[in-house]
């Protein structure tokens, strides 16, 4: 069992910026239209040369995490992503297929920990960072890592989760990202939230979900569509964002044979 607090959070998706916009979205979750403008945060707080080096994924991660820091504050970061810099990697593969030289900068920024590394450079912050390649319960994996850093003596930890839509040729194999998003959490020691991992049942199957006291959820806590419609499949970081925005008291997230139970103790 882990106990912690999330005193601040910040998120970004196309057409959804600011806490009030996310609260409205949380009440009626939807997928932003494909023609929604602003493919990535503007990052006006960075010099133009630094902004140009950032991919769309890195812009989302940096833009979400930056408001959670105070001036020159140095904090460890846990960065988690399932697909990472897939778009940049695909562009490099296209260059190879055309027998073109690879850009050393693009190559160096295509690795999975590039976002965490760029954050360190932009912030002049040498505090340790962790980059996780995660699956469907990567949010919980990131919270576990953050809890270890808190136990090591850090006063707060930034947890950042970001995904972008894959290049079109990958669409048949990558179907878990309905739209680009980034979520940043400032995690501190405290008693506001409790996270528990349940073991499988005696028959080898995961324990069944308990009734939740959160939004009107579909299977595995995804938001329901309208009457007669299938539930909208959202990545778990976006479901957590819904619970944070709406002040849910309890919810459950099941991934494969792992069941994570969340409780908001101070609500």
């Amino acid at each position: 069992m882990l106990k912690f607090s999330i005193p601040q959070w910040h998120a970004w998706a196309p057409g959804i910026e600011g806490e009030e916009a996310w609260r409205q979205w949380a009440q009626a979750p939807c997928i932003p239209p494909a023609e929604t403008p602003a493919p990535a945060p503007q990052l006006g707080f960075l010099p133009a040369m630094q902004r140009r080096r950032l991919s769309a994924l890195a812009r989302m991660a940096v833009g979400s995490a930056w408001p959670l820091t105070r001036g020159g504050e140095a904090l460890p970061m846990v960065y988690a992503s399932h697909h990472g810099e897939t778009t940049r990697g695909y562009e490099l593969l296209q260059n190879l297929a055309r027998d073109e030289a690879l850009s050393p900068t693009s190559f160096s920024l295509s690795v999975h920990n590039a976002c965490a590394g760029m954050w360190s450079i932009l912030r002049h912050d040498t505090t340790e960072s962790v980059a996780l390649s995660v699956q469907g319960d990567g949010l919980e994996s990131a919270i576990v890592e953050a809890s270890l850093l808190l136990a090591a003596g850090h006063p707060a930890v930034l947890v950042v989760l970001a995904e972008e839509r894959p290049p079109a040729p990958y669409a048949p194999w990558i179907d878990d990202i309905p739209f680009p998003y980034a979520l940043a959490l400032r995690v501190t020691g405290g008693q506001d939230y409790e996270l528990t991992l349940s073991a499988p049942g005696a028959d080898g199957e995961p324990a069944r979900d308990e009734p939740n006291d959160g939004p009107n959820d579909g299977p595995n806590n995804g938001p329901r569509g309208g009457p007669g419609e299938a539930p909208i499949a959202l990545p778990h970081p976006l479901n957590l964002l819904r619970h944070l925005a709406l002040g849910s008291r309890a919810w459950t997230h099941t991934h494969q044979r792992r069941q994570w139970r969340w409780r908001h103790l101070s609500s």
Side-chain angles (χ1 to χ4, degrees):
M1 179 192 299
L2 300 174
K3 290 187 177 181
F4 51 91
S5 294
I6 304 176
Q8 291 177 280
W9 58 268
H10 190 84
W12 183 92
I16 312 175
E17 295 188 62
E19 199 165 307
E20 182 56 33
W22 279 109
R23 283 199 180 94
Q24 294 177 8
W25 176 87
Q27 293 171 357
C30 63
I31 297 174
E35 66 272 12
T36 300
Q42 296 303 307
L43 307 186
F45 50 82
L46 291 177
M49 184 173 294
Q50 292 180 337
R51 292 199 302 269
R52 283 196 293 269
R53 295 193 66 192
L54 299 177
S55 65
L57 184 71
R59 281 174 170 256
M60 291 189 292
V62 171
S64 296
W66 202 277
L68 304 186
T69 58
R70 303 163 184 162
E73 184 180 32
L75 293 177
M77 169 185 278
V78 178
Y79 167 75
S81 180
H82 187 178
H83 302 290
E85 292 282 359
T86 303
T87 298
R88 197 186 286 269
Y90 178 73
E91 291 171 353
L92 292 171
L93 291 174
Q94 292 291 93
N95 290 338
L96 287 174
R98 293 191 293 264
D99 200 24
E100 298 173 355
L102 298 183
S103 162
T105 299
S106 290
F107 182 80
S108 66
L109 295 177
S110 68
V111 297
H112 195 76
N113 65 340
C115 284
M118 287 303 298
W119 173 264
S120 176
I121 293 171
L122 295 173
R123 297 282 305 179
H124 305 286
D125 184 352
T126 58
T127 311
E128 61 191 292
S129 62
V130 179
L132 302 177
S133 177
V134 297
Q135 294 185 333
D137 57 352
L139 167 62
E140 287 84 3
S141 298
I143 292 294
V144 171
E145 289 285 345
S147 298
L148 293 173
L149 290 166
L150 292 173
H154 293 284
V157 179
L158 290 174
V159 173
V160 182
L161 302 106
E163 301 287 354
E164 63 178 337
R165 291 281 295 160
Y170 290 171
W173 298 277
I174 301 179
D175 59 359
D176 58 338
I177 310 298
F179 56 89
Y181 71 87
L183 169 64
L185 310 170
R186 185 183 176 100
V187 181
T188 64
Q191 303 292 316
D192 292 337
Y193 290 91
E194 177 184 280
L195 179 61
T196 305
L197 175 62
S198 299
D203 58 358
E205 296 297 323
R208 299 181 65 180
D209 287 0
E210 295 179 352
N212 292 324
D213 195 7
N216 184 27
D217 291 340
N220 205 26
N221 303 101
R224 296 186 186 277
E229 295 180 1
I232 301 171
L234 291 177
H236 188 48
L238 290 176
N239 279 322
L240 172 68
L241 180 55
R242 295 174 56 238
H243 292 297
L244 292 177
L246 299 178
S248 304
R249 292 194 295 271
W251 61 94
T252 302
H253 175 222
T254 302
H255 177 69
Q256 296 180 355
R257 292 171 57 84
R258 299 184 291 275
Q259 186 177 70
W260 299 89
R261 303 178 190 274
W262 289 75
R263 293 179 62 204
H264 190 184
L265 304 176
S266 62
S267 61

